[in-house]
Each structure stands twice: as structure tokens, then as C-alpha cells.
Amino acid sequence: PTPPRMRKALGRFASGVTIVTTAEGPGEESVHGMTANAFTSVSLDPPLVLVSIANRARMNDKITETGRYGVSILAGDQEPLSLHFAGAAHEPDLVRFTWRRGVPLLDGALVHLSCTVTDSHPAGDHTLHVGQVEELWYDNGRPLLFYTGSFRALDLQGTSDGWG
Ligand code: FAD
Ligand code: NAD
């Protein structure tokens, strides 16, 4: 299949949206963030996740250098932040970081994960960075969704909200 057909097909897999972050030092000036939906829960014991980062993305070299990354799972009202960290909009005033275990995470997100890279696997034009979750935090709320190349909201009306 050609890349456009891959995108058409795989865009039918509905996902949440994350911002992956990393920092080369303790200050905000060293933070880099990037929007990613190729995020997966991998293992509970040990607690592992993975992110798939394009080799040509600046983020790929940065994660390789720092060996740490954060994952912020975005809330339903954070589409502008998602566009900002994909380079498709300029919304610097919306960007606020909270630090957990030396990793920056986005304020207003539903979930924060602070991870240390355990393995990085080359995979075609991307690299899979497996991370051990060192600390996590979560809140209740509506998630931001990505489906067929568009942002969506999850309609929770008339359903159990599923928050445990
Ligand atoms: P840049 O393009 O240089 O930076 C990204 C943007 O973030 C820039 O606008 C920059 O100004 C801003 N930024 C970075 N750090 C900061 C900071 N500290 N403070 C304020 N602003 C900052 N690509 C993948 O590789 N994997 C995926 O899973 C993936 N999923 C995506 C899902 C969606 C819904 C979208 C829209 C895009 C996705 N992308 C994914 C594409 C990826 O987000 C873009 O290609 C992105 O621009 C690559 O970022 P970069 O690391 O090359 O850095
Ligand atoms: P789109 O229609 O390109 O995305 C639909 C689906 O295709 C995505 O959910 C993903 O599964 C897949 N996909 C798209 N681009 C990919 C890539 N370069 N590598 C691997 N899988 C990819 O959505 P869009 O609104 O046109 O996306 C905006 C930008 O963000 C585009 O430049 C797109 O390439 C990029 N993006 C990259 C990834 C990724 O690298 N995994 C995922 C989503 C979007």
C-alpha cells in the first residue's frame, strides 16, 4: 500500500492525542514538546509505554540524548495545544509546564507520565522509544480524540463515564 492509503486506513483507528516532552536541563528554556498519537500502553509489570517518533522529528534526537520523556494525554479542550506542538498553529500563551521527576508535562492534561527510556527500536522511518513509567498522575475529564485526520470530542452523555 502507498503512504496515502496507509494514512486513510490507519486514520480509521481512533486514538487519543498526547504531547511528548523532554528537557535537556532543569530550566523551561531546554524543554522540547511534540504532538503524538502513536502512543501505546505496553506492560503493567514492569510499567512500560511506547511512543513512535519520526526519525526526522527534532524530538527523536532529543529523546535519544536525554533518555527521558513525558507523556501528557490531552483533555477535550486542548486541540489548540495539539496544533501548536505539531507546528500547525502558534499558541505559546497556552503552554504551561508542571515538572514530575525532572520531566516537564503540560498543565490541563488528563494524564501525566514521567518515563525513562529502556529500549529504542528503529522501525522504518520512525523509532519506537519504550519508556518505564517512573511517576504518573491522572484526573477525570473528556479526552481529545483524533480520527480520520480530524480532532473529535467523546460524547459521554447517557453512558457510564468509566472513571474508576
Ligand atoms: P518542531 O516541529 O520544531 O516543534 C513542534 C512545535 O512545538 C513547534 O511549533 C514548536 O514551536 C513547539 N514547541 C516545542 N517545544 C516547545 C516549548 N518548550 N515551548 C513552546 N512551544 C514548543 N509525529 C510523530 O513522529 N509521531 C506521532 O505519533 C505523531 N502524531 C501526531 C498526531 C497528530 C494529531 C498530529 C497533528 C501530528 C502528529 N505527529 C506525529 C507529527 C508531529 O507532531 C509534527 O511533525 C511535529 O512538528 C514534529 O515536531 P519536531 O520534534 O520535529 O519539532
Ligand atoms: P493523517 O490523515 O495523516 O493521519 C491519519 C493516520 O495516519 C494517523 O493517525 C497515523 O496513524 C497515520 N500517519 C499519518 N502520518 C504518518 C506518518 N508520517 N508516519 C506514520 N503514520 C502516519 O492526519 P493529518 O491531520 O494529515 O496529520 C497531520 C500531520 O501529522 C501530518 O504531517 C502527518 O504525517 C503527521 N502525523 C504523523 C503521525 C506519525 O508520525 N505517527 C501520526 C499522525 C499524524
Side-chain angles (χ1 to χ4, degrees), residues 101-133:
R101 298 265 184 136
V103 174
L105 295 138
L106 272 301
D107 280 1
L110 290 182
V111 178
H112 288 163
L113 307 176
S114 300
C115 306
T116 297
V117 176
T118 59
D119 301 284
S120 293
H121 303 274
D125 54 14
H126 282 56
T127 300
L128 311 179
H129 296 283
V130 178
Q132 173 137 356
V133 180

Coordinates of all heavy atoms in Angstrom, one line a residue, residues 101-133:
R101 N 9.5 14.4 38.5 CA 10.7 13.6 38.4 C 11.6 14.2 37.3 O 12.2 13.5 36.5 CB 10.4 12.1 38.0 CG 9.6 11.4 39.0 CD 10.5 10.6 39.9 NE 9.7 9.8 40.8 CZ 9.9 8.6 41.2 NH1 11.0 8.0 40.6 NH2 9.2 8.0 42.0
G102 N 11.7 15.5 37.3 CA 12.6 16.2 36.3 C 12.1 16.2 34.9 O 12.9 16.6 34.0
V103 N 10.8 15.8 34.7 CA 10.3 15.7 33.3 C 9.2 16.8 33.2 O 8.3 16.8 34.1 CB 9.7 14.3 33.0 CG1 9.0 14.3 31.7 CG2 10.9 13.3 33.0
P104 N 9.2 17.6 32.2 CA 8.1 18.6 32.0 C 6.8 18.0 31.4 O 6.9 17.1 30.5 CB 8.7 19.6 31.0 CG 9.6 18.8 30.2 CD 10.2 17.7 31.1
L105 N 5.7 18.4 31.9 CA 4.4 17.9 31.4 C 3.4 19.1 31.3 O 3.6 20.1 31.9 CB 3.8 16.8 32.4 CG 4.8 15.6 32.4 CD1 4.9 15.1 33.8 CD2 4.2 14.5 31.5
L106 N 2.4 18.9 30.4 CA 1.5 20.0 30.1 C 0.4 20.2 31.1 O -0.3 19.3 31.3 CB 0.9 19.8 28.7 CG 1.7 20.4 27.5 CD1 2.0 21.9 27.6 CD2 3.1 19.7 27.3
D107 N 0.3 21.4 31.7 CA -0.8 21.7 32.5 C -2.1 21.5 31.8 O -2.2 21.8 30.6 CB -0.8 23.2 33.0 CG 0.2 23.4 34.1 OD1 0.8 22.4 34.5 OD2 0.3 24.5 34.6
G108 N -3.2 21.1 32.5 CA -4.5 20.9 31.9 C -4.7 19.6 31.2 O -5.9 19.3 30.7
A109 N -3.7 18.7 31.1 CA -3.9 17.4 30.5 C -4.6 16.5 31.5 O -4.7 16.8 32.7 CB -2.5 16.8 30.2
L110 N -5.1 15.3 31.0 CA -5.8 14.4 31.8 C -4.9 13.4 32.5 O -5.2 12.9 33.6 CB -6.7 13.5 30.9 CG -7.9 14.1 30.3 CD1 -8.7 13.1 29.5 CD2 -8.8 14.8 31.4
V111 N -3.7 13.2 31.9 CA -2.8 12.2 32.5 C -1.3 12.7 32.2 O -1.1 13.3 31.2 CB -2.9 10.8 31.8 CG1 -1.9 9.8 32.3 CG2 -4.3 10.2 31.9
H112 N -0.5 12.5 33.2 CA 0.9 12.8 33.1 C 1.7 11.5 33.4 O 1.5 10.9 34.4 CB 1.4 13.9 34.2 CG 0.9 15.2 33.9 ND1 0.9 16.2 34.9 CD2 0.4 15.8 32.8 CE1 0.4 17.4 34.3 NE2 0.2 17.1 33.1
L113 N 2.6 11.2 32.5 CA 3.6 10.1 32.7 C 5.0 10.6 32.6 O 5.3 11.2 31.7 CB 3.4 9.0 31.7 CG 2.0 8.4 31.4 CD1 2.0 7.4 30.3 CD2 1.4 7.7 32.7
S114 N 5.8 10.3 33.6 CA 7.2 10.6 33.6 C 8.0 9.3 33.3 O 7.9 8.4 34.1 CB 7.7 11.2 34.9 OG 7.0 12.4 35.1
C115 N 8.7 9.2 32.2 CA 9.3 7.9 31.8 C 10.8 8.0 31.6 O 11.3 9.1 31.2 CB 8.7 7.5 30.4 SG 6.9 7.5 30.4
T116 N 11.5 6.9 31.8 CA 12.9 6.7 31.5 C 13.0 5.7 30.3 O 12.3 4.6 30.4 CB 13.7 6.2 32.7 OG1 13.6 7.2 33.7 CG2 15.1 5.9 32.4
V117 N 13.7 6.0 29.3 CA 13.8 5.1 28.1 C 14.6 3.8 28.5 O 15.6 3.9 29.1 CB 14.6 5.8 27.0 CG1 14.7 4.9 25.8 CG2 13.8 7.1 26.5
T118 N 13.9 2.7 28.2 CA 14.6 1.4 28.5 C 15.1 0.8 27.2 O 16.1 0.1 27.2 CB 13.6 0.4 29.1 OG1 12.5 0.2 28.3 CG2 13.1 0.9 30.5
D119 N 14.5 1.0 26.1 CA 14.9 0.5 24.8 C 14.4 1.5 23.7 O 13.3 2.0 23.8 CB 14.3 -0.9 24.4 CG 14.5 -1.9 25.4 OD1 15.7 -2.4 25.4 OD2 13.6 -2.3 26.2
S120 N 15.2 1.6 22.6 CA 14.8 2.3 21.4 C 15.0 1.4 20.2 O 16.1 1.0 20.0 CB 15.6 3.6 21.3 OG 15.2 4.5 22.4
H121 N 13.9 1.2 19.5 CA 13.9 0.2 18.4 C 13.7 1.0 17.1 O 12.6 1.6 16.9 CB 12.8 -0.8 18.5 CG 12.9 -1.6 19.8 ND1 13.7 -2.7 19.9 CD2 12.3 -1.4 21.0 CE1 13.5 -3.2 21.2 NE2 12.7 -2.4 21.8
P122 N 14.7 0.9 16.1 CA 14.4 1.5 14.8 C 13.3 0.8 14.1 O 13.3 -0.5 14.2 CB 15.8 1.3 14.0 CG 16.7 0.8 15.0 CD 16.0 0.3 16.2
A123 N 12.4 1.5 13.5 CA 11.3 0.8 12.8 C 10.9 1.7 11.6 O 10.1 2.7 11.7 CB 10.1 0.7 13.7
G124 N 11.5 1.4 10.4 CA 11.2 2.1 9.2 C 11.6 3.6 9.4 O 12.8 3.9 9.8
D125 N 10.7 4.5 9.1 CA 11.0 5.9 9.2 C 10.8 6.5 10.6 O 10.8 7.7 10.8 CB 10.3 6.8 8.1 CG 8.8 6.6 8.0 OD1 8.3 6.0 9.0 OD2 8.2 7.0 7.0
H126 N 10.4 5.6 11.5 CA 10.2 6.0 12.9 C 11.2 5.2 13.9 O 11.8 4.3 13.4 CB 8.8 5.8 13.3 CG 7.8 6.8 12.8 ND1 7.7 7.1 11.5 CD2 6.9 7.6 13.5 CE1 6.8 8.1 11.3 NE2 6.3 8.3 12.5
T127 N 11.2 5.7 15.1 CA 11.9 4.9 16.2 C 10.9 4.7 17.3 O 10.2 5.7 17.7 CB 13.1 5.7 16.7 OG1 14.0 5.8 15.5 CG2 13.9 4.9 17.8
L128 N 10.8 3.5 17.8 CA 9.9 3.2 18.9 C 10.7 3.3 20.2 O 11.7 2.6 20.5 CB 9.4 1.7 18.8 CG 8.8 1.3 17.5 CD1 8.4 -0.1 17.5 CD2 7.7 2.3 17.1
H129 N 10.3 4.3 21.1 CA 11.0 4.5 22.3 C 10.2 3.9 23.4 O 9.1 4.5 23.8 CB 11.2 6.0 22.6 CG 12.1 6.7 21.6 ND1 13.5 6.6 21.6 CD2 11.9 7.5 20.5 CE1 14.0 7.2 20.6 NE2 13.1 7.8 19.9
V130 N 10.6 2.8 24.0 CA 9.9 2.2 25.1 C 10.4 2.9 26.4 O 11.6 3.1 26.6 CB 10.3 0.7 25.2 CG1 9.6 0.0 26.4 CG2 9.9 0.0 23.9
G131 N 9.4 3.3 27.2 CA 9.7 4.0 28.5 C 9.2 3.3 29.7 O 8.0 2.9 29.7
Q132 N 10.0 3.3 30.7 CA 9.5 2.8 32.0 C 8.8 4.0 32.8 O 9.4 5.1 32.9 CB 10.6 2.2 32.9 CG 10.2 1.9 34.3 CD 10.7 0.5 34.8 OE1 11.4 -0.2 34.0 NE2 10.4 0.2 36.0
V133 N 7.6 3.8 33.2 CA 6.9 4.9 33.9 C 7.4 5.0 35.3 O 7.2 4.1 36.1 CB 5.3 4.6 33.9 CG1 4.6 5.8 34.6 CG2 4.8 4.5 32.4

